[in-house]
Amino acid sequence: MRQNYQISEQFPSQKEEEVLGFPVFARKDYWLLHLRAEKLLPIIIHNHNHEIIGFWCFYREDKKLVSPFNAPFFSPYFVEFDAKELLFKAVVDYCKLNFHLPVQITLKSDWNFKKLGDLVSSLKILKVELGSHFNVSSNSFVNLIDKKRKKRKLNSLLANNAYEIMQVEMAEWEDVYEQNLNWRKQKGHLNFISKEEMTKAKSQFPHTYHAFQLKKDGALAGVAYFLKVDQNMIYVYSLITSPSIDSEEPSLLLWKAIYDYAKVENSSTIDMGTSMLAKGRINKNLASYKKNIGGSHYKKYTFEC
């Protein structure tokens, strides 16, 4: 790649983030929700016309540079998506030259990892995780489901007037999220974001952080918290139902609600999260469930170089 660009350590302005459609995980205010400014290393790439063509951000941890923080993967900004591997090499080279620290990154499998390996010879894989996503189309969620039994179950739930789905408003955000945390702990889930952090995130990004609550006979029975990462992607952070009614599979109603929301928002992908257990083991039951309701699997890689 010819040196037709300039790298500097700064965040773009909020206006530039908005105009260019930065994903939430790349926005300055997202990083500052979690970390002090002095721990951050923003890297912006301009072309010869001083137009932004790329952006990355790292945080300094234990004598290494890491991306992302409190996010499932980093979504760097690139004007030309096909050139992202070349710009990644430019970012890594800059970090190595100026900081002499290892660089650790987590990326989804929409990157050309062979090309990355050819460009960055020191690249090594630290961890591989199995994730799933929906490809959003004009099809209804019911038609997306592969298993006939799941289709029948969903149609039965939709016909049951005891269930109701509604958005979680700001006034009840904390209380509903606290119940979400309680259910997650009961079921042995990992990677908790605190109630305080999630409430602060909702206040800071009211149009990015969303939640649906599922009620049965007027009582809270399930909840789904998700983010509109950018124009194309929705990421589901937590989707859970009360252990007392899991056998009824009411989670199907929450997945349908998110899928319908994605269609209205013209999003093309719903990231369903990973299906992992402790010590890098795959949660085979969860992975199979996601595939059976119409999801496709992908791999998420954590690299160091």
Side-chain angles (χ1 to χ4, degrees), residues 188-217:
H189 291 196
L190 306 173
N191 304 324
F192 302 123
I193 295 176
S194 72
K195 180 176 67 175
E196 292 72 24
E197 281 185 292
M198 186 59 86
T199 302
K200 190 176 178 182
K202 175 64 174 174
S203 299
Q204 186 76 48
F205 295 100
H207 304 298
T208 297
Y209 283 76
H210 303 276
F212 286 128
Q213 56 183 316
L214 172 67
K215 292 193 173 183
K216 183 181 183 184
D217 296 321

Side-chain angles (χ1 to χ4, degrees), residues 119-145:
L119 291 169
V120 184
S121 58
S122 60
L123 199 69
K124 62 180 179 180
I125 298 174
L126 297 183
K127 183 169 61 174
V128 182
E129 299 171 273
L130 183 68
S132 306
H133 65 260
F134 289 123
N135 293 313
V136 182
S137 69
S138 58
N139 280 333
S140 68
F141 182 69
V142 173
N143 290 334
L144 192 72
I145 297 175

Side-chain angles (χ1 to χ4, degrees), residues 19 29 31 37 48 54 67 70 81 92 106 110 126 141 165 187 189-190 199 216 218 226 240 260 279 286 299 303:
V19 170
D29 285 347
W31 284 87
H48 63 282
S67 187
N70 262 17
F81 195 73
V92 169
T106 299
D110 53 354
L126 297 183
F141 182 69
I165 293 265
K187 295 185 178 185
H189 291 196
L190 306 173
T199 302
K216 183 181 183 184
F226 59 97
I240 197 164
D260 291 344
K279 298 181 180 179
L286 182 57
K299 290 181 179 178
F303 294 99

Side-chain angles (χ1 to χ4, degrees), residues 94-239:
Y94 178 87
C95 291
K96 293 287 189 180
L97 178 65
N98 290 278
F99 300 99
H100 309 287
L101 293 173
V103 174
Q104 184 175 306
I105 42 123
T106 299
L107 300 169
K108 290 185 68 175
S109 53
D110 53 354
W111 287 66
N112 185 332
F113 294 125
K114 183 182 183 306
K115 188 175 181 180
L116 277 182
D118 291 341
L119 291 169
V120 184
S121 58
S122 60
L123 199 69
K124 62 180 179 180
I125 298 174
L126 297 183
K127 183 169 61 174
V128 182
E129 299 171 273
L130 183 68
S132 306
H133 65 260
F134 289 123
N135 293 313
V136 182
S137 69
S138 58
N139 280 333
S140 68
F141 182 69
V142 173
N143 290 334
L144 192 72
I145 297 175
D146 289 332
K147 293 287 185 179
K148 291 182 179 179
R149 191 189 70 79
K150 296 288 185 191
K151 285 187 179 183
R152 290 196 299 269
K153 174 62 73 173
L154 176 56
N155 285 324
S156 175
L157 289 165
L158 291 170
N160 188 340
N161 292 330
Y163 285 108
E164 183 181 12
I165 293 265
M166 59 190 73
Q167 289 196 36
V168 178
E169 303 297 340
M170 190 65 202
E172 53 190 344
W173 187 267
E174 283 192 51
D175 290 341
V176 175
Y177 189 72
E178 186 168 14
Q179 181 60 74
N180 164 80
L181 286 177
N182 290 338
W183 285 332
R184 285 175 67 87
K185 290 172 184 175
Q186 288 178 42
K187 295 185 178 185
H189 291 196
L190 306 173
N191 304 324
F192 302 123
I193 295 176
S194 72
K195 180 176 67 175
E196 292 72 24
E197 281 185 292
M198 186 59 86
T199 302
K200 190 176 178 182
K202 175 64 174 174
S203 299
Q204 186 76 48
F205 295 100
H207 304 298
T208 297
Y209 283 76
H210 303 276
F212 286 128
Q213 56 183 316
L214 172 67
K215 292 193 173 183
K216 183 181 183 184
D217 296 321
L220 187 63
V223 63
Y225 280 83
F226 59 97
L227 290 74
K228 187 171 172 56
V229 177
D230 55 26
Q231 183 57 44
N232 297 315
M233 181 190 295
I234 287 171
Y235 171 70
V236 180
Y237 163 66
S238 178
L239 188 150

